[in-house]
Amino acid sequence: MCRVCGGSVEEFLDLGRQPLSDAFRDPADTRPEYFFRLAVGQCATCTMVQLVEEVPRERMFHEDYPYHSSGSAVMREHFQRLAGRLLETELSGADPFVVEIGCNDGIMLRTIGQAGVRHLGVEPSGGVAEVARSNGVNVRTDFFQESTAVEVREEHGPADVIYAANTFCHIPYVESIFAGIDALLGPDGVFVFEDPYLGDIVAKTSFDQIYDEHFYLFSARSVAAMARHFGFELVDVERLEVHGGEVRYTLARLGARTPAPAVAELLAEEEEADLANLTTLRRFAGNVHTIRDDLRTLLKDLRAQGKRVVAYGATAKSATVANFCGIGPDLVEFVCDTTPAKQGRLTPGSHIPVRPADAFAEPYPDYALLFAWNHAEEIMGKEQEYEQAGGRWILYVPKVTVE
Ligand code: JHZ
Ligand code: SAH
Ligand code: ZN
């Protein structure tokens, strides 16, 4: 049943048994890993694309949650720019207040804090929340939901902006979120969120955007329907290039603001692409299987030729790729990653060792499977010596290529 509207959900892609994407494993740990069935469907009523099985939130977001948003220079700049824009627009009045859902290590709110503007991050993962605090950010270690929002409103008053990046699509219980937004947002406030865009996922066959944490794959159409369902309105959209293609959505209370022309434009584009059609999504599922076959064949061939292959970036996304395509330490020697909390551990399910970034050059492999393909520019930019040494990159989005 659809978690937004209660309609029936038609499954179109089954990615099999999958582990928690961010559960990097201590090699000494012998306890069985948690697995669930990763399958995606579409609501026949509101068109929302969503996971068929839900993982309990405490299993994913806890004290040891390893993802630190500030690991990418491009993302640091992205959020600094957004904070600057909010300060000039929605937060330019007298004593404004902004709440961020899922502030992680404070990558966005630190700029707001430095500007002396009242703010609060709501972040359930204690480790990253602590890093945010050390960056001068006010954080409540908690899940955002209706009860949280009511308490924040009582303590701090109404919010001018409620913001969430790469977090709202992680939360299945949208009814409680909207009740919370309703309780906390001022009469002319906006709820702004940015998440991976279904249009890009289908166009690029970026099926690795599907994993436990990404419960919803939003489109303008499904977000507009969801907003209406809960008494809000989609009033602006902006396409973003980060994380492989996202959309930043702005919601306001119904009738409070005039929707920007960009909303109708994106809706028309989705109509043109037949994005809400199950046939389109089934075609996407077929393309996913082609990528799996091509990638497995390539990696097996390289192994047979005695080439060294390592992976680059122990992303959450790569859990889906490795486990769906059957890629383990037999095909990929190790994966290098700058995140201390991931190093020395094994990738979930596939058990590929994670090593620090400098392991990449000791010595360079023949091929590098770019798990962090969404950061290709940043990574290829700083790994030019690898290419000069004759190293090649393997990409699998939008199709399997060697560059
Ligand atoms: P990256 C996470 O996804 C999980 P992941 C989450 N569900 C989500 O939606 C997005 O983030 C926002 C490393 N790296 O950003 C750091 C290098 O080693 O693609 C990270 O471990 N060297 C919340 O994990 C990983 O790669 C580098 O130069 O798929 C990148 O992870 C750079 C730039 C990154 O998100
Ligand atoms: N905004 C950052 C962080 C994304 S990671 C960025 O774009 O890089 C997603 C974050 O959402 C995690 O830190 C996780 O702990 C947090 N989160 C998950 N469920 C949440 C909820 N219900 N309320 C608030 N934060 C949540
Ligand atoms: Zn629905």
Side-chain angles (χ1 to χ4, degrees), residues 19 51 57 98 140 172 187 195-196 215 232 235 359:
L51 298 192
R57 61 186 188 178
V98 53
R140 174 179 171 132
D195 288 288
F215 188 81
F232 288 81
V235 295

Side-chain angles (χ1 to χ4, degrees), residues 22 57 60-62 65 67-70 75 78-79 100-108 121-126 128-129 140 142-145 148 163-168 170-173 177 194 213 243 246:
D22 266 312
R57 61 186 188 178
M60 300 184 281
F61 310 115
H62 45 71
Y65 183 67
Y67 183 70
H68 287 238
S69 301
S70 298
M75 293 314 300
H78 170 82
F79 287 117
E100 182 174 8
I101 306 174
C103 68
N104 198 275
D105 59 9
I107 190 168
M108 196 287 279
V122 180
E123 173 52 68
S125 298
V128 292
R140 174 179 171 132
D142 208 348
F143 286 97
F144 188 90
Q145 56 192 15
T148 318
Y163 176 72
N166 305 297
T167 300
F168 188 34
H170 295 51
I171 309 178
Y173 41 98
I177 297 299
E194 54 192 79
E213 297 175 17
H243 287 308
E246 303 202 308

Side-chain angles (χ1 to χ4, degrees), residues 70-364:
S70 298
S72 156
V74 170
M75 293 314 300
R76 290 198 297 273
E77 199 194 312
H78 170 82
F79 287 117
Q80 201 179 343
R81 203 174 323 121
L82 184 265
R85 206 213 284 182
L86 288 178
L87 289 169
E88 280 172 15
T89 56
E90 303 292 337
L91 300 175
S92 61
D95 193 26
F97 179 48
V98 53
V99 173
E100 182 174 8
I101 306 174
C103 68
N104 198 275
D105 59 9
I107 190 168
M108 196 287 279
L109 283 182
R110 61 187 303 173
T111 306
I112 302 282
Q114 280 157 11
V117 165
R118 277 199 304 133
H119 65 274
L120 182 69
V122 180
E123 173 52 68
S125 298
V128 292
E130 202 45 49
V131 177
R133 280 187 201 99
S134 72
N135 286 326
V137 172
N138 305 322
V139 190
R140 174 179 171 132
T141 304
D142 208 348
F143 286 97
F144 188 90
Q145 56 192 15
E146 184 179 7
S147 57
T148 318
V150 166
E151 287 177 26
V152 172
R153 164 82 190 225
E154 279 167 4
E155 198 182 329
H156 301 272
D160 299 280
V161 176
I162 300 175
Y163 176 72
N166 305 297
T167 300
F168 188 34
C169 78
H170 295 51
I171 309 178
Y173 41 98
V174 287
E175 190 165 349
S176 175
I177 297 299
F178 276 100
I181 301 285
D182 187 33
L184 179 56
L185 200 65
D188 188 41
V190 284
F191 174 32
V192 180
F193 56 95
E194 54 192 79
D195 288 288
Y197 178 48
L198 181 68
D200 285 302
I201 293 168
V202 168
K204 298 174 193 169
T205 319
S206 43
F207 68 100
D208 57 349
Q209 292 288 10
I210 304 164
Y211 55 91
D212 56 348
E213 297 175 17
H214 286 178
F215 188 81
Y216 293 110
L217 304 180
F218 294 147
S219 66
R221 175 159 169 186
S222 63
V223 166
M226 172 168 66
R228 263 196 314 274
H229 191 79
F230 294 108
F232 288 81
E233 191 172 10
L234 177 60
V235 295
D236 206 0
V237 289
E238 182 187 350
R239 291 188 76 159
L240 308 170
E241 286 192 356
V242 295
H243 287 308
E246 303 202 308
V247 169
R248 180 178 290 151
Y249 304 90
T250 302
L251 309 191
R253 293 182 187 278
L254 194 61
R257 297 204 185 188
T258 309
V263 176
E265 283 163 22
L266 190 56
L267 287 170
E269 223 175 281
E270 292 180 0
E271 192 66 38
E272 181 70 24
D274 234 354
L275 193 58
N277 195 328
L278 206 51
T279 313
T280 305
L281 299 172
R282 293 216 163 97
R283 193 183 316 127
F284 159 76
N287 296 340
V288 172
H289 285 86
T290 304
I291 291 182
R292 171 175 72 177
D293 297 345
D294 291 352
L295 187 57
R296 266 192 73 77
T297 305
L298 172 66
L299 294 176
K300 281 181 158 178
D301 285 354
L302 293 174
R303 171 44 49 113
Q305 292 165 29
K307 302 290 187 197
R308 277 189 70 221
V309 181
V310 310
Y312 201 112
T315 56
K317 292 184 289 293
S318 67
T320 297
V321 179
N323 288 284
F324 181 63
C325 304
I327 301 169
D330 53 328
L331 296 177
V332 169
E333 209 174 295
F334 63 84
V335 45
C336 61
D337 195 287
T338 50
T339 315
K342 297 181 183 179
Q343 295 161 0
R345 297 190 166 243
L346 303 174
T347 58
S350 52
H351 298 180
I352 304 169
V354 184
R355 302 187 50 195
D358 50 18
F360 187 52
E362 298 171 354
Y364 284 129

